[in-house]
């Protein structure tokens, strides 16, 4: 039997031991994640058979929506359908000329059907955090409301070698997570003016096989071998984790809800470095895989359905450990087990603010109407 002093010493020693960090997914989590991916691939069309295509939308004359990456794929379909139902749509794109060409084409096709589409194009390059800050500053300077921010743009560099942005970050992590996170935070003043408003993050079922090491966000330490699959799945999991903490940091009275959505397995997401048994499934693309219009339905649903804020508030009231997540069939679903890891989610939050050059109290300051200084976007020519 230990003496009181030795027991106390043992307790202090235990408290001083550093917390053991998780090094990766356990094999059961890994297997469960791949099962979810495979299941979605082969059964998504059945699960979403109740949905119309295109998804019917209510009149959106009162909404202003920013859609990133809207010159192709899911983003293109999302922007066009929002505009055709009356929304003021801002196409935030890397190539403004391509955006303007699309707008001209849509206006021509829409002529005689209804009033001219209310669309504009603004430049936004997610591979440059300076560009993200400049975009947010230009939009906030209008002092107008923003009702919906759809972080749609993403990258999956299929089978390509590891690449880094000029900011020094792995491209998947920057485009899919860091830049949208920075944009979401910096646009909070406009989202508050548009309250009730929503941030919709286009995610992926591939987050289920992702793992985020906050000490190795660039996957450069050698602890994990890089592949585009590792980069993509990790960035999508990081997006959910950041969204979870952002939702918790936003008080209910702010009227801003954060939602992640899965578009399903869409033709634009074909990945050459997926395991061979999954690549075989892509040979059956005509039946199993969604096209871009079908893939846009979950984004449009999350952006416009009146029950989505109620769902978010229910999760907030229950102190649910992960943000709202809408599946490809436009039904609420649960993100992966690892996405529920609150310890890692808080680390992702802190690391993301650090990497994007924001102070730790950026959200609180913006909610109070104060200015926030970001180390990016400072008049650099």
């Amino acid at each position: 039997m230990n003496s009181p002093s030795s027991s106390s010493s043992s307790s202090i020693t235990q408290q001083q031991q550093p917390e053991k960090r998780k090094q990766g997914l356990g094999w059961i989590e890994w297997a469960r994640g791949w099962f979810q991916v495979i299941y979605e691939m082969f059964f998504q069309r059945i699960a979403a058979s109740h949905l119309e295509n295109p998804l019917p939308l209510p009149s959106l004359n009162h909404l202003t929506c920013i859609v990133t990456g809207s010159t192709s794929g899911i983003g293109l379909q999302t922007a066009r359908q929002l505009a055709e139902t009356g929304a003021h749509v801002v196409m935030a794109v890397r190539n403004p000329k391509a955006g303007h060409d699309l707008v001209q084409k849509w206006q021509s096709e829409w002529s005689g059907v209804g009033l001219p589409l209310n669309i504009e194009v603004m430049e936004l390059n997610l591979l440059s955090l300076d560009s993200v800050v400049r975009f947010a500053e230009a939009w906030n300077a209008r002092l107008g409301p923003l009702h919906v921010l759809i972080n749609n743009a993403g990258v999956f560099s299929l089978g390509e070698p590891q690449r880094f942005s000029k900011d020094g970050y792995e491209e998947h992590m920057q485009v899919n997570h860091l830049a949208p996170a920075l944009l979401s935070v910096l646009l909070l003043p406009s989202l508050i003016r548009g309250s009730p408003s929503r941030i919709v993050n286009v995610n992926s079922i591939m987050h289920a096989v992702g793992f985020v090491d906050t000490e190795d966000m660039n996957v450069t330490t050698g602890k994990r071998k890089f592949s585009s699959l590792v980069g993509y799945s990790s960035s999508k999991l990081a997006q959910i984790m950041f969204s979870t903490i952002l939702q918790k940091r936003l008080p209910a009275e702010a009227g801003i809800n954060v939602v992640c959505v899965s578009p399903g397995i869409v033709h634009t997401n074909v990945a050459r470095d997926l395991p061979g048994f999954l690549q075989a499934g892509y040979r059956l693309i005509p039946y199993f895989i969604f096209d871009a219009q079908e893939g846009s339905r979950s984004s449009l649903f999350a952006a416009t359905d009146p029950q989505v804020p109620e769902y978010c508030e229910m999760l907030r009231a229950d102190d649910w450990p992960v943000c709202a997540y809408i599946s490809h069939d436009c039904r609420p679903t649960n993100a992966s087990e690892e996405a529920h890891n609150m310890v890692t989610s808080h680390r992702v939050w802190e690391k993301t603010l650090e990497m994007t050059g924001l102070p730790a109290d950026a959200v609180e300051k913006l909610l109070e109407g104060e200015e926030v200084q970001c180390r990016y976007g400072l008049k650099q020519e």
Side-chain angles (χ1 to χ4, degrees):
M1 186 174 181
N2 293 332
S3 66
S5 59
S6 63
S7 296
S8 175
S9 174
S10 174
S11 175
I12 293 172
T13 301
Q14 289 177 357
Q15 292 175 5
Q16 291 176 341
Q17 288 179 346
E19 181 184 355
K20 187 175 180 181
R21 286 179 179 262
K22 188 173 180 178
Q23 298 300 309
L25 295 182
W27 73 267
I28 294 179
E29 293 173 290
W30 181 86
R32 186 183 293 122
W34 278 115
F35 174 80
Q36 291 175 325
V37 174
I38 295 166
Y39 185 87
E40 183 158 309
M41 176 187 291
F42 289 108
F43 293 98
Q44 63 178 7
R45 195 166 288 285
I46 296 173
S49 61
H50 64 287
L51 297 176
E52 295 181 50
N53 187 45
L55 187 75
L57 298 176
S59 173
L60 303 176
N61 295 321
H62 60 294
L63 291 188
T64 294
C65 310
I66 292 176
V67 185
T68 68
S70 42
T71 54
S72 64
I74 295 170
L76 182 154
Q77 294 294 333
T78 302
R80 179 166 187 168
Q81 290 178 69
L82 288 171
E84 288 181 351
T85 45
H88 170 209
V89 175
V90 180
M91 299 173 67
V93 299
R94 185 175 56 180
N95 184 347
K97 182 183 183 304
H100 287 298
D101 289 346
L102 271 175
V103 171
Q104 186 175 6
K105 177 176 179 286
W106 294 345
Q107 295 284 19
S108 176
E109 294 173 349
W110 189 252
S111 178
V113 179
L115 294 173
L117 302 178
N118 188 4
I119 316 179
E120 63 177 299
V121 177
M122 292 180 66
E123 184 174 359
L124 172 65
N125 180 6
L126 298 182
L127 277 171
S128 166
L129 296 180
D130 287 334
S131 175
V132 174
V133 175
R134 288 195 295 269
F135 177 93
E137 288 177 343
W139 180 261
N140 287 333
R142 299 185 181 191
L143 300 179
L146 175 60
H147 303 99
V148 182
L149 168 63
I150 302 180
N151 287 311
N152 164 82
V155 62
F156 195 168
S157 299
L158 315 177
E160 296 292 327
Q162 189 173 23
R163 290 195 291 259
F164 298 88
S165 71
K166 71 170 190 174
D167 301 309
Y169 301 134
E170 194 276 317
E171 283 192 0
H172 292 90
M173 188 59 71
Q174 172 148 339
V175 173
N176 298 342
H177 167 54
L178 295 174
L182 177 60
L183 183 64
S184 298
V185 172
L186 294 180
L187 287 178
L188 285 177
S190 293
L191 287 161
I192 291 170
R193 285 191 289 269
S195 174
S197 53
R198 311 178 193 191
I199 299 172
V200 178
N201 294 317
V202 180
N203 201 258
S204 169
I205 187 60
M206 296 302 296
H207 84 272
V209 294
F211 178 78
V212 182
D213 182 348
T214 52
E215 294 183 343
D216 187 26
M217 297 281 275
N218 277 338
V219 196
T220 54
T221 64
K223 289 189 287 184
R224 291 182 294 165
K225 182 180 178 181
F226 178 84
S227 70
S228 55
L229 175 60
V230 168
Y232 182 77
S233 60
S234 300
S235 67
K236 289 301 185 180
L237 178 60
Q239 183 181 60
I240 297 174
M241 290 177 157
F242 183 88
S243 299
T244 292
I245 305 304
L246 177 57
Q247 178 72 77
K248 291 180 180 296
R249 293 262 180 149
L250 295 170
E253 54 270 23
I256 305 172
N257 288 301
V258 186
V259 188
C260 288
V261 304
S262 170
I265 308 292
V266 183
H267 191 254
T268 55
N269 288 341
V270 176
R272 290 193 303 255
D273 60 340
L274 290 178
F277 63 91
L278 283 180
Q279 290 188 27
Y282 279 100
R283 297 192 184 100
L284 301 172
I285 280 174
Y287 179 75
F288 291 107
I289 309 302
F290 284 169
D291 61 30
Q293 187 174 73
E294 291 169 316
S296 70
R297 291 179 298 194
S298 56
S299 299
L300 292 166
F301 176 85
T304 63
D305 191 86
Q307 292 186 324
V308 168
E310 297 173 19
Y311 171 49
C312 293
E313 287 308 313
M314 181 186 72
L315 296 183
R316 191 201 303 269
D318 291 344
D319 199 24
W320 195 246
V322 70
C323 68
Y325 198 93
I326 304 293
S327 186
H328 60 279
D329 58 4
C330 296
R331 292 183 174 122
T333 191
N334 222 348
S336 70
E337 181 178 339
E338 182 63 15
H340 289 67
N341 187 330
M342 286 301 296
V343 173
T344 304
S345 293
H346 280 288
R347 287 178 182 151
V348 167
W349 171 266
E350 294 166 0
K351 190 68 175 179
T352 299
L353 293 180
E354 175 190 324
M355 294 173 75
T356 55
L358 290 172
D361 59 352
V363 170
E364 288 73 20
K365 282 186 174 180
L366 290 169
L367 290 172
E368 292 296 324
E370 300 179 32
E371 290 189 6
V372 166
Q373 188 71 52
C374 177
R375 73 169 179 264
Y376 293 100
L378 303 172
K379 304 198 177 202
Q380 303 166 4
E381 299 294 339

